[in-house]
Amino acid sequence: MATKQTLIALAFSVALATAAQAECLTDAQAADMVAHYVARTPAANPENLSDADGACSRAKLNQLLAQRVGKVIGYKAGLTNPAVQKRFNTDKPVWGKLYEGMVLQSGATVDAAFGARPLYEADMLVRVKSAAINHARTPMDVLEAVDQIIPFIELPDLMVQAPPRLNGAGVSAINVGARLGVAGSPLAVPAYRGERYALLQALAEMSVSLTDGTGARLGGGKGSDILGHPLSAVVWLAGALAQEGLAMQPGDLISLGSFSPLLPPKAGLSVMATYDGLPGAAPVRVTFK
């Protein structure tokens, strides 16, 4: 009869073997996905992925994307809003890489068919000042390691044939849909600690709204909709990157996630994001053609 220790060892070896057999996208599947990304046509859905599968697939996709679209300029934390997590049947965030040319300036006019499955959402960027951000444990730690807060309308692309079938690992596998975004005027992080506390509070309590050219509200939310505080997305990201041997660098742009539902663009639509309650934050705008 097997001893308790033998059974434990056997269970451990089975767990290791299961982990080692993660169904990562093959090299051919990753190459096919990138080809569809470049062509802006829907790729086959990555199916039945575990979290490890999603991370492995994202790494393959990132390697190929870097050869096509240039250098990494930062990262995006995705699925940081519980409402968006629910849409993708998960309870945890994911992350992807941002590449050169993805961030446009406020007022940009963008093709409504900018991707295979184009969407837009109210978001926010921060710019990394110090590598200390990789050790951040609180929103204040993050604020002390960034030098800009930037209003941002993200323009993600879910890029697959059936986006409703994506789970969290599938979203990770497609690099969290990173495609484009429109950045507004940056807010400088204040030098004095008291002002930083006021900024932290404003970020949590701000009301973020998307409106169209007539002023009609399209969607929105509160700062605290992102993990209780928008800068908590960076705390999460620092830990997630560290697990894969990666780190944010000074100058990197970090996308925090969605304050609004993911919405489909259409030609002729103008969208403006406003950040009420965040002093000095100017609206950011995009128009679809």
Side-chain angles (χ1 to χ4, degrees):
M1 182 179 292
T3 66
K4 183 178 180 181
Q5 289 79 6
T6 302
L7 290 173
I8 291 173
L10 180 61
F12 184 67
S13 65
V14 168
L16 286 178
T18 301
Q21 292 168 4
E23 291 296 326
C24 184
L25 289 181
T26 66
D27 292 349
Q29 287 173 320
D32 181 69
M33 188 167 285
V34 169
H36 280 284
Y37 177 90
V38 172
R40 295 189 293 183
T41 55
N45 275 60
E47 299 281 3
N48 303 317
L49 302 184
S50 68
D51 290 344
D53 302 337
C56 171
S57 300
R58 182 194 57 230
K60 288 188 176 185
L61 198 71
N62 286 151
Q63 186 175 27
L64 294 172
L65 282 174
Q67 297 169 13
R68 292 288 196 108
V69 298
K71 70 177 183 178
V72 175
I73 61 165
Y75 298 89
K76 63 169 292 187
L79 310 187
T80 53
N81 185 320
V84 181
Q85 288 178 0
K86 185 176 180 180
R87 173 173 173 175
F88 292 100
N89 194 31
T90 188
D91 60 357
K92 60 177 82 68
V94 292
W95 65 266
K97 290 183 177 181
L98 301 178
Y99 291 91
E100 203 168 27
M102 283 187 170
V103 179
L104 311 175
Q105 293 306 302
S106 181
T109 298
V110 178
D111 191 337
F114 62 80
R117 295 286 187 258
L119 298 163
Y120 65 91
E121 63 184 25
D123 196 335
M124 180 171 276
L125 299 171
V126 296
R127 190 175 73 174
V128 176
K129 176 181 70 175
S130 163
I133 199 166
N134 295 295
H135 307 291
R137 296 293 179 268
T138 66
M140 179 58 89
D141 292 344
V142 174
L143 197 60
E144 291 178 342
V146 302
D147 60 4
Q148 291 182 353
I149 308 287
I150 309 169
F152 187 54
I153 297 175
E154 199 200 348
L155 307 176
D157 177 11
L158 291 183
M159 72 179 281
V160 296
Q161 293 167 3
R165 294 213 310 266
L166 288 170
N167 61 7
V171 173
S172 181
I174 63 169
N175 195 39
V176 199
R179 171 71 78 168
L180 291 171
V182 178
S185 300
L187 290 173
V189 174
Y192 295 107
R193 195 166 180 85
E195 293 174 307
R196 290 181 180 178
Y197 275 115
L199 178 55
L200 277 182
Q201 184 173 353
L203 285 166
E205 296 177 354
M206 66 183 176
S207 177
V208 183
S209 296
L210 287 174
T211 53
D212 67 13
T214 71
R217 194 172 192 271
L218 301 166
K222 305 186 303 296
S224 58
D225 287 342
I226 291 181
L227 299 180
H229 192 287
L231 298 187
S232 293
V234 186
V235 175
W236 174 84
L237 180 63
L241 292 177
Q243 289 179 359
E244 299 193 34
L246 299 170
M248 292 171 273
Q249 304 295 328
D252 280 351
L253 295 174
I254 308 301
S255 166
L256 306 183
S258 180
F259 299 105
S260 70
L262 295 158
L263 300 169
K266 59 183 179 180
L269 176 67
S270 292
V271 178
M272 179 174 71
T274 54
Y275 300 77
D276 295 329
L278 183 61
V284 56
R285 295 176 173 85
V286 64
T287 297
F288 298 107
K289 63 178 181 179

Short mmCIF file of all heavy atoms in Angstrom, two decimals, residues 72-76 98 124-136 141-150 186-187 189 231 233-235 237-238 241 247-256:
data_model
loop_
_atom_site.label_atom_id
_atom_site.label_comp_id
_atom_site.label_asym_id
_atom_site.label_seq_id
_atom_site.Cartn_x
_atom_site.Cartn_y
_atom_site.Cartn_z
N VAL A 72 8.83 48.13 -27.90
CA VAL A 72 7.85 48.23 -26.82
C VAL A 72 7.96 49.62 -26.19
O VAL A 72 9.06 50.08 -25.87
CB VAL A 72 8.08 47.13 -25.77
CG1 VAL A 72 7.14 47.31 -24.58
CG2 VAL A 72 7.88 45.75 -26.39
N ILE A 73 6.82 50.30 -26.00
CA ILE A 73 6.81 51.61 -25.35
C ILE A 73 6.10 51.59 -24.01
O ILE A 73 5.99 52.61 -23.34
CB ILE A 73 6.17 52.68 -26.25
CG1 ILE A 73 4.71 52.32 -26.56
CG2 ILE A 73 6.98 52.86 -27.54
CD1 ILE A 73 3.90 53.48 -27.14
N GLY A 74 5.63 50.41 -23.60
CA GLY A 74 4.96 50.31 -22.31
C GLY A 74 4.09 49.06 -22.24
O GLY A 74 4.27 48.11 -23.02
N TYR A 75 3.14 49.10 -21.33
CA TYR A 75 2.28 47.94 -21.05
C TYR A 75 0.86 48.40 -20.82
O TYR A 75 0.60 49.55 -20.47
CB TYR A 75 2.76 47.21 -19.80
CG TYR A 75 4.15 46.64 -19.92
CD1 TYR A 75 5.27 47.39 -19.57
CD2 TYR A 75 4.36 45.35 -20.40
CE1 TYR A 75 6.56 46.87 -19.69
CE2 TYR A 75 5.64 44.82 -20.52
CZ TYR A 75 6.73 45.59 -20.16
OH TYR A 75 7.99 45.08 -20.29
N LYS A 76 -0.07 47.48 -21.00
CA LYS A 76 -1.46 47.75 -20.64
C LYS A 76 -1.95 46.70 -19.68
O LYS A 76 -1.72 45.50 -19.87
CB LYS A 76 -2.35 47.84 -21.87
CG LYS A 76 -2.49 46.58 -22.70
CD LYS A 76 -3.61 46.70 -23.75
CE LYS A 76 -4.98 46.75 -23.13
NZ LYS A 76 -6.07 46.70 -24.14
N LEU A 98 2.47 47.46 -25.17
CA LEU A 98 2.19 48.55 -26.09
C LEU A 98 3.41 48.77 -26.98
O LEU A 98 4.55 48.73 -26.49
CB LEU A 98 1.87 49.83 -25.33
CG LEU A 98 0.69 49.79 -24.36
CD1 LEU A 98 0.55 51.14 -23.65
CD2 LEU A 98 -0.60 49.44 -25.08
N MET A 124 -6.87 55.56 -19.09
CA MET A 124 -5.91 56.53 -18.58
C MET A 124 -4.53 55.93 -18.67
O MET A 124 -4.36 54.71 -18.52
CB MET A 124 -6.25 56.89 -17.12
CG MET A 124 -5.33 57.90 -16.47
SD MET A 124 -5.96 58.44 -14.87
CE MET A 124 -7.10 59.72 -15.39
N LEU A 125 -3.54 56.77 -18.96
CA LEU A 125 -2.13 56.36 -18.97
C LEU A 125 -1.39 57.02 -17.82
O LEU A 125 -1.75 58.11 -17.37
CB LEU A 125 -1.45 56.79 -20.27
CG LEU A 125 -1.94 56.27 -21.61
CD1 LEU A 125 -1.24 57.01 -22.74
CD2 LEU A 125 -1.70 54.78 -21.72
N VAL A 126 -0.33 56.36 -17.36
CA VAL A 126 0.68 57.03 -16.54
C VAL A 126 2.03 56.81 -17.21
O VAL A 126 2.22 55.83 -17.93
CB VAL A 126 0.71 56.51 -15.08
CG1 VAL A 126 -0.59 56.83 -14.37
CG2 VAL A 126 1.01 55.01 -15.02
N ARG A 127 2.96 57.75 -17.01
CA ARG A 127 4.30 57.60 -17.56
C ARG A 127 5.29 57.33 -16.42
O ARG A 127 5.32 58.05 -15.43
CB ARG A 127 4.73 58.85 -18.33
CG ARG A 127 6.02 58.64 -19.11
CD ARG A 127 6.38 59.84 -19.96
NE ARG A 127 6.87 60.95 -19.13
CZ ARG A 127 7.37 62.09 -19.63
NH1 ARG A 127 7.42 62.26 -20.94
NH2 ARG A 127 7.78 63.05 -18.83
N VAL A 128 6.07 56.30 -16.59
CA VAL A 128 7.00 55.86 -15.55
C VAL A 128 8.18 56.84 -15.44
O VAL A 128 8.78 57.21 -16.44
CB VAL A 128 7.52 54.43 -15.84
CG1 VAL A 128 8.55 54.01 -14.81
CG2 VAL A 128 6.36 53.44 -15.88
N LYS A 129 8.49 57.23 -14.21
CA LYS A 129 9.62 58.11 -13.93
C LYS A 129 10.80 57.33 -13.38
O LYS A 129 11.96 57.63 -13.68
CB LYS A 129 9.19 59.19 -12.92
CG LYS A 129 10.31 60.12 -12.46
CD LYS A 129 9.80 61.13 -11.44
CE LYS A 129 9.47 60.48 -10.11
NZ LYS A 129 9.09 61.47 -9.07
N SER A 130 10.50 56.32 -12.57
CA SER A 130 11.54 55.62 -11.83
C SER A 130 11.29 54.12 -11.84
O SER A 130 10.14 53.66 -11.76
CB SER A 130 11.58 56.12 -10.38
OG SER A 130 12.28 55.24 -9.54
N ALA A 131 12.37 53.35 -11.90
CA ALA A 131 12.26 51.89 -11.84
C ALA A 131 11.73 51.42 -10.49
O ALA A 131 11.36 50.25 -10.34
CB ALA A 131 13.61 51.24 -12.13
N ALA A 132 11.65 52.31 -9.51
CA ALA A 132 11.06 51.97 -8.21
C ALA A 132 9.62 51.53 -8.36
O ALA A 132 9.07 50.86 -7.47
CB ALA A 132 11.15 53.16 -7.26
N ILE A 133 8.99 51.86 -9.49
CA ILE A 133 7.60 51.47 -9.72
C ILE A 133 7.43 49.95 -9.68
O ILE A 133 6.37 49.43 -9.34
CB ILE A 133 7.11 52.03 -11.07
CG1 ILE A 133 5.57 52.04 -11.11
CG2 ILE A 133 7.68 51.25 -12.25
CD1 ILE A 133 5.00 52.87 -12.24
N ASN A 134 8.49 49.23 -10.00
CA ASN A 134 8.41 47.77 -10.02
C ASN A 134 8.30 47.16 -8.62
O ASN A 134 8.03 45.97 -8.49
CB ASN A 134 9.63 47.20 -10.75
CG ASN A 134 9.63 47.61 -12.21
OD1 ASN A 134 8.76 47.22 -12.97
ND2 ASN A 134 10.61 48.43 -12.61
N HIS A 135 8.49 47.98 -7.61
CA HIS A 135 8.35 47.52 -6.22
C HIS A 135 7.16 48.17 -5.53
O HIS A 135 7.02 48.08 -4.31
CB HIS A 135 9.64 47.82 -5.44
CG HIS A 135 10.87 47.30 -6.11
ND1 HIS A 135 11.14 45.96 -6.23
CD2 HIS A 135 11.88 47.95 -6.75
CE1 HIS A 135 12.28 45.79 -6.89
NE2 HIS A 135 12.74 46.99 -7.22
N ALA A 136 6.30 48.83 -6.30
CA ALA A 136 5.15 49.54 -5.74
C ALA A 136 4.18 48.57 -5.07
O ALA A 136 3.87 47.51 -5.62
CB ALA A 136 4.44 50.32 -6.83
N ASP A 141 2.80 54.63 -3.71
CA ASP A 141 4.08 54.17 -4.26
C ASP A 141 4.14 54.41 -5.76
O ASP A 141 5.16 54.83 -6.31
CB ASP A 141 4.30 52.67 -3.99
CG ASP A 141 4.51 52.34 -2.53
OD1 ASP A 141 4.81 53.25 -1.74
OD2 ASP A 141 4.38 51.14 -2.18
N VAL A 142 3.03 54.10 -6.43
CA VAL A 142 2.97 54.30 -7.88
C VAL A 142 3.10 55.78 -8.22
O VAL A 142 3.89 56.18 -9.09
CB VAL A 142 1.65 53.74 -8.46
CG1 VAL A 142 1.52 54.09 -9.95
CG2 VAL A 142 1.58 52.23 -8.27
N LEU A 143 2.33 56.62 -7.51
CA LEU A 143 2.33 58.05 -7.80
C LEU A 143 3.74 58.65 -7.64
O LEU A 143 4.13 59.55 -8.40
CB LEU A 143 1.34 58.77 -6.90
CG LEU A 143 0.92 60.17 -7.33
CD1 LEU A 143 0.25 60.14 -8.70
CD2 LEU A 143 -0.01 60.78 -6.30
N GLU A 144 4.49 58.13 -6.69
CA GLU A 144 5.84 58.64 -6.47
C GLU A 144 6.83 58.17 -7.52
O GLU A 144 7.94 58.69 -7.60
CB GLU A 144 6.32 58.25 -5.07
CG GLU A 144 5.53 58.99 -3.97
CD GLU A 144 5.94 58.59 -2.57
OE1 GLU A 144 6.58 57.52 -2.41
OE2 GLU A 144 5.62 59.35 -1.64
N ALA A 145 6.43 57.20 -8.34
CA ALA A 145 7.34 56.65 -9.36
C ALA A 145 6.90 56.99 -10.78
O ALA A 145 7.46 56.47 -11.74
CB ALA A 145 7.45 55.13 -9.19
N VAL A 146 5.87 57.84 -10.93
CA VAL A 146 5.44 58.31 -12.25
C VAL A 146 5.52 59.83 -12.28
O VAL A 146 5.49 60.49 -11.24
CB VAL A 146 4.01 57.83 -12.61
CG1 VAL A 146 3.93 56.31 -12.59
CG2 VAL A 146 2.97 58.44 -11.69
N ASP A 147 5.61 60.39 -13.49
CA ASP A 147 5.67 61.85 -13.59
C ASP A 147 4.52 62.46 -14.38
O ASP A 147 4.38 63.68 -14.40
CB ASP A 147 7.02 62.31 -14.15
CG ASP A 147 7.31 61.77 -15.55
OD1 ASP A 147 6.44 61.08 -16.13
OD2 ASP A 147 8.42 62.02 -16.05
N GLN A 148 3.70 61.62 -15.00
CA GLN A 148 2.55 62.15 -15.74
C GLN A 148 1.33 61.24 -15.59
O GLN A 148 1.46 60.02 -15.58
CB GLN A 148 2.88 62.28 -17.24
CG GLN A 148 3.89 63.35 -17.59
CD GLN A 148 4.12 63.46 -19.09
OE1 GLN A 148 3.62 62.64 -19.87
NE2 GLN A 148 4.87 64.47 -19.50
N ILE A 149 0.16 61.88 -15.50
CA ILE A 149 -1.15 61.22 -15.59
C ILE A 149 -1.76 61.72 -16.90
O ILE A 149 -1.83 62.93 -17.13
CB ILE A 149 -2.06 61.61 -14.42
CG1 ILE A 149 -1.36 61.39 -13.06
CG2 ILE A 149 -3.39 60.90 -14.51
CD1 ILE A 149 -1.21 59.97 -12.65
N ILE A 150 -2.20 60.81 -17.77
CA ILE A 150 -2.60 61.21 -19.12
C ILE A 150 -3.99 60.67 -19.46
O ILE A 150 -4.18 59.45 -19.53
CB ILE A 150 -1.58 60.69 -20.16
CG1 ILE A 150 -0.14 61.07 -19.76
CG2 ILE A 150 -1.91 61.22 -21.55
CD1 ILE A 150 0.93 60.38 -20.59
N PRO A 186 -0.97 65.74 -20.81
CA PRO A 186 -0.56 65.13 -19.55
C PRO A 186 -0.71 66.08 -18.37
O PRO A 186 -0.56 67.30 -18.50
CB PRO A 186 0.92 64.79 -19.79
CG PRO A 186 1.33 65.41 -21.07
CD PRO A 186 0.12 65.98 -21.73
N LEU A 187 -1.01 65.50 -17.22
CA LEU A 187 -1.00 66.21 -15.95
C LEU A 187 0.30 65.86 -15.23
O LEU A 187 0.62 64.67 -15.06
CB LEU A 187 -2.17 65.77 -15.07
CG LEU A 187 -3.58 66.18 -15.47
CD1 LEU A 187 -4.58 65.48 -14.55
CD2 LEU A 187 -3.73 67.68 -15.38
N VAL A 189 2.65 65.18 -12.13
CA VAL A 189 2.47 64.76 -10.73
C VAL A 189 3.09 65.82 -9.84
O VAL A 189 4.25 66.20 -10.03
CB VAL A 189 3.12 63.38 -10.49
CG1 VAL A 189 3.06 63.01 -9.01
CG2 VAL A 189 2.44 62.32 -11.34
N LEU A 231 -4.64 53.52 -9.80
CA LEU A 231 -3.21 53.21 -9.72
C LEU A 231 -2.95 51.83 -9.14
O LEU A 231 -1.83 51.32 -9.24
CB LEU A 231 -2.48 54.29 -8.92
CG LEU A 231 -2.52 55.70 -9.51
CD1 LEU A 231 -1.61 56.64 -8.72
CD2 LEU A 231 -2.14 55.71 -11.00
N ALA A 233 -3.97 49.31 -10.51
CA ALA A 233 -3.68 48.51 -11.71
C ALA A 233 -2.18 48.39 -11.93
O ALA A 233 -1.68 47.36 -12.40
CB ALA A 233 -4.34 49.14 -12.93
N VAL A 234 -1.43 49.45 -11.58
CA VAL A 234 0.02 49.42 -11.76
C VAL A 234 0.67 48.55 -10.69
O VAL A 234 1.66 47.85 -10.97
CB VAL A 234 0.60 50.84 -11.74
CG1 VAL A 234 2.09 50.82 -12.08
CG2 VAL A 234 -0.14 51.74 -12.73
N VAL A 235 0.13 48.57 -9.48
CA VAL A 235 0.62 47.67 -8.43
C VAL A 235 0.47 46.22 -8.88
O VAL A 235 1.41 45.41 -8.78
CB VAL A 235 -0.13 47.90 -7.10
CG1 VAL A 235 0.31 46.89 -6.05
CG2 VAL A 235 0.09 49.33 -6.59
N LEU A 237 0.20 45.16 -11.97
CA LEU A 237 1.05 44.92 -13.13
C LEU A 237 2.49 44.67 -12.72
O LEU A 237 3.15 43.78 -13.28
CB LEU A 237 0.97 46.12 -14.07
CG LEU A 237 1.82 46.05 -15.34
CD1 LEU A 237 1.36 44.90 -16.24
CD2 LEU A 237 1.76 47.37 -16.09
N ALA A 238 2.98 45.42 -11.75
CA ALA A 238 4.37 45.23 -11.29
C ALA A 238 4.59 43.80 -10.83
O ALA A 238 5.59 43.17 -11.18
CB ALA A 238 4.70 46.22 -10.17
N LEU A 241 4.35 41.31 -13.96
CA LEU A 241 5.55 41.34 -14.80
C LEU A 241 6.72 40.66 -14.11
O LEU A 241 7.50 39.94 -14.74
CB LEU A 241 5.91 42.79 -15.15
CG LEU A 241 4.95 43.54 -16.07
CD1 LEU A 241 5.41 44.98 -16.25
CD2 LEU A 241 4.84 42.86 -17.43
N ALA A 247 10.11 43.97 -16.26
CA ALA A 247 10.01 45.15 -15.41
C ALA A 247 9.70 46.38 -16.26
O ALA A 247 10.12 46.48 -17.41
CB ALA A 247 11.31 45.37 -14.64
N MET A 248 8.96 47.30 -15.68
CA MET A 248 8.72 48.59 -16.31
C MET A 248 9.98 49.43 -16.26
O MET A 248 10.77 49.33 -15.31
CB MET A 248 7.57 49.30 -15.60
CG MET A 248 6.22 48.64 -15.79
SD MET A 248 4.90 49.34 -14.74
CE MET A 248 5.11 48.36 -13.23
N GLN A 249 10.15 50.28 -17.28
CA GLN A 249 11.34 51.13 -17.39
C GLN A 249 10.92 52.59 -17.41
O GLN A 249 9.83 52.93 -17.87
CB GLN A 249 12.10 50.80 -18.68
CG GLN A 249 12.51 49.35 -18.84
CD GLN A 249 13.51 48.89 -17.80
OE1 GLN A 249 14.32 49.69 -17.34
NE2 GLN A 249 13.44 47.62 -17.42
N PRO A 250 11.80 53.50 -16.94
CA PRO A 250 11.50 54.93 -17.05
C PRO A 250 11.16 55.30 -18.50
O PRO A 250 11.81 54.86 -19.44
CB PRO A 250 12.80 55.59 -16.60
CG PRO A 250 13.39 54.60 -15.63
CD PRO A 250 13.07 53.26 -16.22
N GLY A 251 10.09 56.08 -18.65
CA GLY A 251 9.60 56.46 -19.97
C GLY A 251 8.48 55.59 -20.48
O GLY A 251 7.76 55.99 -21.41
N ASP A 252 8.30 54.41 -19.91
CA ASP A 252 7.21 53.54 -20.34
C ASP A 252 5.85 54.19 -20.07
O ASP A 252 5.66 54.86 -19.04
CB ASP A 252 7.26 52.20 -19.60
CG ASP A 252 8.27 51.22 -20.16
OD1 ASP A 252 8.83 51.50 -21.24
OD2 ASP A 252 8.50 50.18 -19.52
N LEU A 253 4.91 53.96 -20.97
CA LEU A 253 3.53 54.34 -20.77
C LEU A 253 2.75 53.13 -20.29
O LEU A 253 2.91 52.03 -20.85
CB LEU A 253 2.92 54.87 -22.07
CG LEU A 253 3.53 56.16 -22.62
CD1 LEU A 253 2.94 56.48 -23.98
CD2 LEU A 253 3.32 57.32 -21.66
N ILE A 254 1.91 53.33 -19.29
CA ILE A 254 1.13 52.23 -18.71
C ILE A 254 -0.35 52.56 -18.82
O ILE A 254 -0.81 53.58 -18.30
CB ILE A 254 1.49 51.99 -17.23
CG1 ILE A 254 3.01 51.84 -17.04
CG2 ILE A 254 0.75 50.76 -16.71
CD1 ILE A 254 3.66 50.72 -17.81
N SER A 255 -1.10 51.71 -19.52
CA SER A 255 -2.55 51.86 -19.64
C SER A 255 -3.20 51.12 -18.47
O SER A 255 -2.89 49.97 -18.19
CB SER A 255 -3.00 51.28 -20.98
OG SER A 255 -4.39 51.10 -21.01
N LEU A 256 -4.13 51.82 -17.79
CA LEU A 256 -4.67 51.31 -16.53
C LEU A 256 -5.90 50.42 -16.68
O LEU A 256 -6.20 49.65 -15.77
CB LEU A 256 -5.01 52.49 -15.61
CG LEU A 256 -3.88 53.49 -15.36
CD1 LEU A 256 -4.35 54.57 -14.39
CD2 LEU A 256 -2.62 52.79 -14.84
#
